Amino acid sequence: MYFLRRLLMSIPLLLVISFLSFGLLHLAPGGPFDRDRKPATPDVERNIKRKYHQDDPFWKQYLRYLGVGYDREANGKIHWFEGGLIRGDFGPSYIYRDHTVNDIIVQGLPVSLSLGFMAFGFALGIGLPLGFFTAVQRGKWGDYAGSFFAVLVVCIPGLVIGPVLVVVFAIHFRWFPVALWETPWHAVLPMIALGLYFAGRVARLMREGMLNVMQSEFITAARAKGMSETTLLLKHGVRIAILPVLSYSGPLLADLLTGSFVIENIFQIPGLGTPIVNGSLNRDYPVVVGLVILYAVLLIALNLLVDLAYMMLDRRVKYE
């Protein structure tokens, strides 16, 4: 019942998110057809706005985006709005004239998902062992070196790491391609640039979790009974210490799946990054709102999965 309530509560939450994103974009100065304003005559501009219903009041535009409402013709005949968010239709794009938002998502989401999952695996593959190692080596050179590396990669954003990786490994050594998304080798540098920051965050969380667990009473009791340190930490310590990382994994994966806009632009990857950046710059309302809702759905779904995994790993956790 708890998870069913969470799912039902996500519906009004998504409506609020869609309304806020739709309203904030309309409050921003400029419009989706400003670039066409100079070459277009007033009549052409008026016709374009009428075609996309930009001359309707704000509330009617939002209801049309949702797909709730109707138009009344001069003879009194009623036409219900076609498409709309409630029918899974995000509407047409104003900038990509021959594409709908659904087309853009279908084309770009698999690429963004692939890059996001690879970066997620990279972040966990580097962060978890590093956090475990620095905790076990607390106060020694291994702790200082590992902690310094974790803090360093957290402080340097992907916007800086991406071009550095390109210059060193693509241009100087020629080990990997500079950009695009054609072979598995094209994914290596974007994956590192996107996942390195999160690897540092995961390492910090894992280190703190391990340090707390190593001071727990049940660990002390197990040591007193003669259990080996390796078995103690790997079998009992990691299972508890990884819980903070697990809590962070939901938002982390959502960030990686849909928040790789900068990295995708740097490496010219045909994911969702370029459409949302261009959509924001050109006030392409359907594209931006559609991708914001997609991000919200992913975030809600991943947080639910994290809560389920949390309950499976720690039997003390009960949801009511």
Side-chain angles (χ1 to χ4, degrees), residues 62-84:
Y62 179 67
L63 290 180
R64 191 183 297 279
Y65 182 77
L66 292 180
V68 180
Y70 60 85
D71 282 323
R72 186 186 297 275
E73 294 183 353
N75 58 7
K77 192 174 181 181
I78 291 175
H79 290 285
W80 294 95
F81 294 155
E82 296 180 355

Side-chain angles (χ1 to χ4, degrees), residues 3 8 29 42 44 46 48 87 115 126 135 148 167 169 175 179 183 196-197 221 248-249 253 258 268 294 297-298 303:
F3 290 100
L8 293 177
V44 172
R46 193 179 308 115
I48 291 175
R87 299 178 183 86
L115 177 59
I126 298 295
F148 175 78
V167 170
F169 296 104
W175 290 351
T183 67
L196 206 54
Y197 165 83
Y248 177 59
S249 296
L253 188 54
T258 56
Q268 294 298 299
L294 175 67
V297 170
L298 286 173
N303 275 317

Side-chain angles (χ1 to χ4, degrees), residues 33 36-49:
F33 308 114
D36 299 332
R37 180 173 294 172
K38 287 185 179 178
T41 64
D43 289 339
V44 172
E45 184 180 350
R46 193 179 308 115
N47 290 334
I48 291 175
K49 287 188 174 180

